[in-house]
Amino acid sequence: MKLTSLLLFLSIGLAWASNSYAQKAILSMNMTNRTVFDVLEEIETRTDFHFFYNSKIIDIHRTVSVNVKDKSVFTILDQIFKNSNVAYKVVDKDIILSANEASGILQDRRRITGVVKDKSTGEPVIGVNVLVKGSTNGTITDIDGRFSLEVSSSDILSVSYIGYMSQEITVSNKEVIDVDLQEDSTSLDEVVVVGFGTQKKVNLTGSVSALSTKDIGKLKVTQTSQLLSGMVSGINVTQGSGQPGADQSSVTIRGLGTFSSAGNSPLVLVDGLSSSLDNVNANDIESISVLKDAASASIYGTRAANGVILIETKKGKEGKARITYQGNFGFSRPSETPKIVDSWVYAEMYNEALINGGGSLQYTADEIAKFKSGEDPDNYPNKRHYDDLINSGSGFQTNHYLGLTGGTEKNSYMFSLSYLNQKGIVAETNYQRYNVMFNASSKLRDNFKVNVKFSGQKGDSNQPTAVDSSAPEGVEGLISYAIKVPNTIAGKRRMVIMVIRRDLQLKVGWTASLSLRMMMWTLLPVPILNGIY
């Protein structure tokens, strides 16, 4: 009797403690059009409660709305599970969700079976996704196309597979559900350029990737070879320079095919003629097809050993004349630059290198102090030649395109002009390019059609060059020279005049040009007054 009373007392105490915490757990919540899962997760975050349930029985993806202020957890649960078959039970700080058997929902759940087949061939389809709509309850078909799933009468089955049209089927009172899937031919009707003609993707056996006008229009590039970067799988696009006019990219398809002098560049055909990617303006391109496997060699022979890139340019369209303009501008900046040490640090490190090599000091402590103080910038400067050089240009670039298209049922035309102007990050470095294209088509008879195409490109590139005979030519050599020359040498110095003889003078100085940074010697005949100029 005493033991029974003790157990009864403990049971009452635990039940009181559970209900007591639930009553004390007061929440304010405002959640609109959220899933039951979101609401339960929010309660767990803000209280010590934990929920336990079977997601196959409890529909946690059902959308609900909760708007309460200073209410208990019980009130919130009553609100989100109102008019549903869900019941809850509180055990300590755990809340167990279950289906209310009295509602008859549990008795309604049953297991159904079925077979999924291809409608055209009658063959079973393996790996088809069969899912109860709005839940995570699902399965896939086996090797015979069969599936088995536990559902209720109100459930809707969603059946889907790649290459087939999806279907939704209401379970109702069915025990066996067989599904016939129909092929989705929409994605297979896309036309791509193959060899010397066009073909639908459904008929292709080789590996082909394509870029359409819509894909190309999203990108703003200065060279057409940059279009393929990140847009086509299996292609390596490498841009070795950002210099205006020299920022083309090298393209390889599926890696390197050879290390011989034959090279690894793919064959590029523009409207069926061998050309270069960068000879075409990106705005004039209708589509780009990339043939990546050995099947292309059966069409073009050994020239296609590294793959083929086929470019179709825009042509005239039937209708009224239409004018198209596209323009953009921007600025170029180096993505990363080396950090140059100060002149006194360079002097100290140079001295250390000489000592380690068994030599004598180049700079004295007094000279290093003068470099650091900046008291004599002509003889003890701290000049950053590289920083001055790469910031001497604006890096501004602009691109303009003007197109005219039109035609009738039998005659069509397309005419375009484009202009590119790139200024480098180094002064006096620039590139200008002009493109023109004309496409015309005339249908003289039902079986006779004439196409005329004209295209041209003109480019002008300007750049300074290094004065050091050992440096590479062009602006790259100039940048290399600017890094090599230490900042202990002044970039610009006051003019010093010395008398050589009465009719000649020698000027010694440094040019003010940020691009050259070189010492210049000039002999000029000038009159001399009183022996001193």
Side-chain angles (χ1 to χ4, degrees), residues 65-118:
S65 297
V66 178
N67 186 8
V68 296
K69 185 176 181 181
D70 298 334
K71 299 293 183 179
S72 68
V73 174
F74 295 147
T75 303
I76 298 173
L77 293 177
D78 290 338
Q79 185 171 336
I80 64 175
F81 293 125
K82 185 179 180 181
N83 298 326
S84 72
N85 67 313
V86 179
Y88 60 87
K89 182 178 181 181
V90 181
V91 179
D92 197 9
K93 294 182 180 179
D94 298 327
I95 300 179
I96 302 171
L97 305 180
S98 61
N100 188 358
E101 296 184 6
S103 64
I105 299 298
L106 285 179
Q107 287 80 356
D108 182 54
R109 294 191 67 83
R110 64 189 187 281
R111 183 166 293 276
I112 63 169
T113 59
V115 180
V116 180
K117 296 181 179 180
D118 187 309

Side-chain angles (χ1 to χ4, degrees), residues 402-443:
L402 184 66
L404 175 65
T405 60
T408 62
E409 183 180 355
K410 293 187 176 181
N411 302 296
S412 61
Y413 59 89
M414 179 268 185
F415 178 75
S416 70
L417 291 170
S418 62
Y419 170 70
L420 171 68
N421 188 342
Q422 288 180 281
K423 296 185 183 298
I425 59 175
V426 175
E428 306 301 328
T429 306
N430 59 76
Y431 174 70
Q432 295 185 83
R433 187 185 68 204
Y434 305 86
N435 288 78
V436 60
M437 176 172 284
F438 176 71
N439 274 341
S441 177
S442 180
K443 187 177 182 181

